[in-house]
Amino acid sequence: MKSAASYSAARPAGTFKGMLGAIALAAAVTLPLPQAFAAEVLRIGVSQPIDSLNPFVANSDYSSIAYQYAYPFLTVYDADLNIVPYFATDWTVSSDGTVWTFHTREGAKWSDGKPLTAKDAAFTYTMIQKYKTSTTGKFAGGLNHLKSAEATDDNTLVLTYDGPGGDVPVKMQGMPILPAHIWSKVAGEDGSEIDSFENAAPWVSGGPFMLSGYKKNQLALFKVNPNWWGDTRPKIDGFGLQFFANSDAMVSALTSNQLDMVGQTISPTAVDALKAAGMVVESAPSTGFHEMIINTNPEKTGHHELLNPKVREAFELAIDRDAIVKQVWLGFATPGTTIVAPATGWHDETLATVSLSIDKANAILDELGYVRGADGVRIADGVRMDYDVVFSTEVAGAGDRTFKIIQASYEKIGVRLAQRKMDADATNAAILGEDNQYRDFDIAMWLWVPPFDPDFILSVLTCAQLGNNNDSGYCNPDYDKLYMEQARLVDRAERAKVLNEMQAIAYRDRPYIVLVYPQTMEAHSPEWTGFVPSPLVGSVNNLSVETLLNVHKE
């Protein structure tokens, strides 16, 4: 990544170094969070690191969580999962649904004291639209059909669409507002350096917290934004994220008082031990899912048999989801079907889980003429059905055990899998390949924990997201047409019908084979209270700021 430190606020001498003390930078990711960071700091252990501080590059859940707490959004979800005003105080819409007017907080400031106004929102959305086919593409889906974003004064933002805008306030929950006085320098003349901007700590922030220190794959430290404009000031002085390579080490750190909370999906095998240690354990349905990704790009360099829908059908038939739910998740998950999880309320219940059938899978591959070699591995068009599986360490633990179950089943259908474990950055690079052409990988295993509204996760499979959020090389114009259509629909029943069509296409074409919908599972010390659960990665999430505004020691 190219350095763009000249655009960042200066780092106070010794601040971050003082927090880390004498911790060696080359040490493992099980570094203890510094005890002396502040008077009351929530120490959170997570297994998925912040992979980039640049929102236009990041893929990790905890990257988006960092943006949720450090940047303003027009809207936010409340504890009951209703969209409510946040930086916007209210909004109106024209009778034809094409013009949405948001009024924003008066007198707001960024953490560096510069005015925070509707002009920052107009700048951010305009920048995203201007470079949506290149460096800002990851956020482009949330602004579909937007013609213009204009600040008519410091506290009035007017969004004009080329047709009815659908549920715009919901989409704005996922669109961080960036400081124009920082990012205008980054965007420059052509926007080509947006994705190479480091956005290094300390951040110029407009949320309740500001990122004050960061070491990749180790620690992220946040302190309260002194210029926070919200009605409720956080009850804590700050929080820290400590990144762990495995769940066992993270759980051990919690029970030995090195952490106050373990976020994300903890291993189900740790639940009994955590409860025995007096920890509070909570679980709830999630919007997330674990999936097998199959490269469907017709230009891929090898294993063209994977482009055959019948092969992908056989692969799904050979997956024992019941065993995965029982043996890996100990019942804290449900079998997967579509890319829209039941917890969202938009899941198509008519699409049934594909049950294990080794016989049917073998019959399909036999009919295709893929005969077994001497070692039992089938030959497809002269090539062994022997695949490297790009495997993100973000799903290590449960993912490893899931892989072994699938690997054993695939041996029974003459298909061999080998695991290639790598971190999130390397996984993304391996999937996208050189020049984002999706030519080299065949199969991958990863997870999504998307926002509550299905617009984002459905956008991932669009042609427009190739090179950005699209991680399968899938491109289907019919699917894309439906995606653009649903973005205009205001009536829930009409939109649900279109969303179900999209789910059915993805279910049939199988760029993803959705394995399971795991529950969110987190644990915290009984000394702390004020946690607000949600169907994402737990109470600390990218839906709202409820938890870290309210959490405090008993």
Side-chain angles (χ1 to χ4, degrees):
M1 181 180 294
K2 294 181 181 178
S3 174
S6 58
Y7 299 128
S8 301
R11 178 179 297 163
T15 302
F16 191 47
K17 184 178 180 181
M19 293 176 194
L20 292 175
I23 296 172
L25 299 183
V29 295
T30 54
L31 298 170
L33 282 171
Q35 298 283 345
F37 172 46
E40 189 164 301
V41 175
L42 181 68
R43 301 165 300 166
I44 306 171
V46 299
S47 59
Q48 297 181 24
I50 294 173
D51 60 335
S52 174
L53 301 182
N54 184 330
F56 299 105
V57 176
N59 294 294
S60 166
D61 297 327
Y62 271 87
S63 297
S64 61
I65 288 169
Y67 312 141
Q68 183 70 47
Y69 281 98
Y71 289 125
F73 294 72
L74 290 179
T75 62
V76 72
Y77 281 100
D78 67 10
D80 298 318
L81 296 178
N82 298 310
I83 286 290
V84 296
Y86 188 39
F87 181 58
T89 57
D90 58 69
W91 53 83
T92 59
V93 59
S94 63
S95 57
D96 64 357
T98 62
V99 180
W100 291 74
T101 302
F102 292 83
H103 300 102
T104 62
R105 298 267 187 159
E106 295 184 4
K109 294 180 180 180
W110 293 99
S111 60
D112 63 358
K114 298 289 178 63
L116 165 54
T117 72
K119 294 176 182 177
D120 291 288
F123 162 79
T124 302
Y125 303 159
T126 299
M127 178 179 70
I128 291 171
Q129 280 291 82
K130 187 174 182 180
Y131 307 116
K132 65 182 180 181
T133 59
S134 56
T135 50
T136 62
K138 282 184 177 290
F139 285 93
L143 298 177
N144 275 332
H145 302 294
L146 181 68
K147 288 174 60 178
S148 65
E150 179 185 5
T152 57
D153 60 44
D154 282 354
N155 302 111
T156 307
L157 174 70
V158 179
L159 303 180
T160 303
Y161 291 80
D162 61 13
D167 200 349
V168 172
V170 171
K171 295 183 177 69
M172 293 303 105
Q173 183 277 326
M175 304 298 295
I177 298 169
L178 304 175
H181 62 287
I182 301 295
W183 286 82
S184 60
K185 300 173 185 177
V186 177
E189 294 297 322
D190 60 3
S192 62
E193 295 193 17
I194 289 174
D195 60 357
S196 62
F197 178 44
E198 284 190 359
N199 200 26
W203 278 351
V204 172
S205 301
F209 295 91
M210 54 187 291
L211 180 70
S212 56
Y214 173 74
K215 286 296 179 182
K216 188 170 184 178
N217 293 329
Q218 296 179 39
L219 298 170
L221 305 173
F222 296 78
K223 64 181 181 181
V224 170
N225 175 2
N227 290 320
W228 167 234
W229 42 264
D231 298 324
T232 303
R233 181 178 174 82
K235 294 180 173 65
I236 55 176
D237 299 294
F239 68 97
L241 301 176
Q242 180 177 341
F243 310 123
F244 287 79
N246 64 78
S247 179
D248 291 341
M250 187 164 57
V251 168
S252 176
L254 176 62
T255 56
S256 60
N257 197 35
Q258 298 174 57
L259 295 173
D260 304 305
M261 173 190 178
V262 169
Q264 300 177 313
T265 302
I266 60 176
S267 173
T269 60
V271 170
D272 289 344
L274 285 166
K275 289 181 177 179
M279 298 297 118
V280 179
V281 180
E282 297 178 339
S283 63
S286 170
T287 64
F289 58 88
H290 285 230
E291 85 277 15
M292 175 183 285
I293 308 167
I294 301 179
N295 189 348
T296 55
N297 173 25
E299 302 300 322
K300 68 192 301 287
T301 56
H303 285 299
H304 290 123
E305 71 277 5
L306 294 178
L307 302 177
N308 188 330
K310 297 299 293 183
V311 171
R312 301 197 292 273
E313 180 184 357
F315 279 17
E316 181 160 21
L317 284 163
I319 294 174
D320 190 347
R321 288 185 175 87
D322 288 341
I324 294 171
V325 168
K326 293 175 183 177
Q327 297 174 27
V328 175
W329 294 98
L330 304 183
F332 290 99
T334 55
T337 54
T338 87
I339 61 174
V340 178
T344 66
W346 295 94
H347 178 73
D348 186 351
E349 299 286 354
T350 68
L351 299 175
T353 301
V354 175
S355 299
L356 172 70
S357 179
I358 298 297
D359 289 344
K360 289 181 181 178
N362 272 318
I364 289 173
L365 298 178
D366 288 342
E367 186 177 345
L368 291 171
Y370 300 159
V371 299
R372 296 175 187 262
D375 60 356
V377 177
R378 292 181 185 270
I379 309 297
D381 303 321
V383 179
R384 285 164 51 86
M385 297 183 75
D386 190 337
Y387 308 97
D388 284 342
V389 178
V390 175
F391 184 96
S392 172
T393 52
E394 287 190 326
V395 293
D400 290 315
R401 295 189 292 276
T402 297
F403 176 83
K404 290 179 180 178
I405 289 172
I406 296 174
Q407 184 184 46
S409 288
Y410 277 28
E411 290 281 351
K412 298 175 184 177
I413 64 170
V415 173
R416 184 164 294 169
L417 303 179
Q419 192 179 31
R420 287 179 55 205
K421 296 182 76 168
M422 54 190 75
D423 66 21
D425 285 348
T427 300
N428 196 55
I431 288 172
L432 296 180
E434 187 176 358
D435 298 324
N436 296 337
Q437 294 300 305
Y438 301 86
R439 292 181 181 273
D440 300 323
F441 96 97
D442 296 308
I443 300 173
M445 288 180 65
W446 212 346
L447 83 166
W448 275 110
V449 186
F452 199 64
D453 187 88
D455 181 275
F456 171 80
I457 193 58
L458 292 169
S459 77
V460 167
L461 294 180
T462 61
C463 306
Q465 284 298 316
L466 289 169
N468 286 302
N469 290 319
N470 189 317
D471 57 1
S472 65
Y474 182 74
C475 180
N476 181 338
D478 292 334
Y479 180 94
D480 286 14
K481 183 178 179 180
L482 291 169
Y483 176 72
M484 297 301 286
E485 180 183 344
Q486 66 84 29
R488 294 182 182 275
L489 298 175
V490 178
D491 182 83
R492 182 182 176 91
E494 291 181 6
R495 186 177 180 223
K497 182 178 179 181
V498 176
L499 296 183
N500 285 353
E501 288 185 63
M502 297 179 70
Q503 291 179 68
I505 290 173
Y507 175 86
R508 178 196 69 214
D509 289 354
R510 294 182 175 88
Y512 289 162
I513 295 176
V514 179
L515 302 172
V516 294
Y517 306 117
Q519 293 187 23
T520 63
M521 298 179 65
E522 67 180 33
H524 63 83
S525 165
E527 295 181 0
W528 289 80
T529 189
F531 297 92
V532 181
S534 89
L536 275 173
V537 290
S539 58
V540 178
N541 58 71
N542 56 10
L543 278 181
S544 74
V545 294
E546 292 274 349
T547 285
L548 293 185
L549 288 181
N550 292 290
V551 71
H552 60 280
K553 281 190 174 181
E554 292 273 25

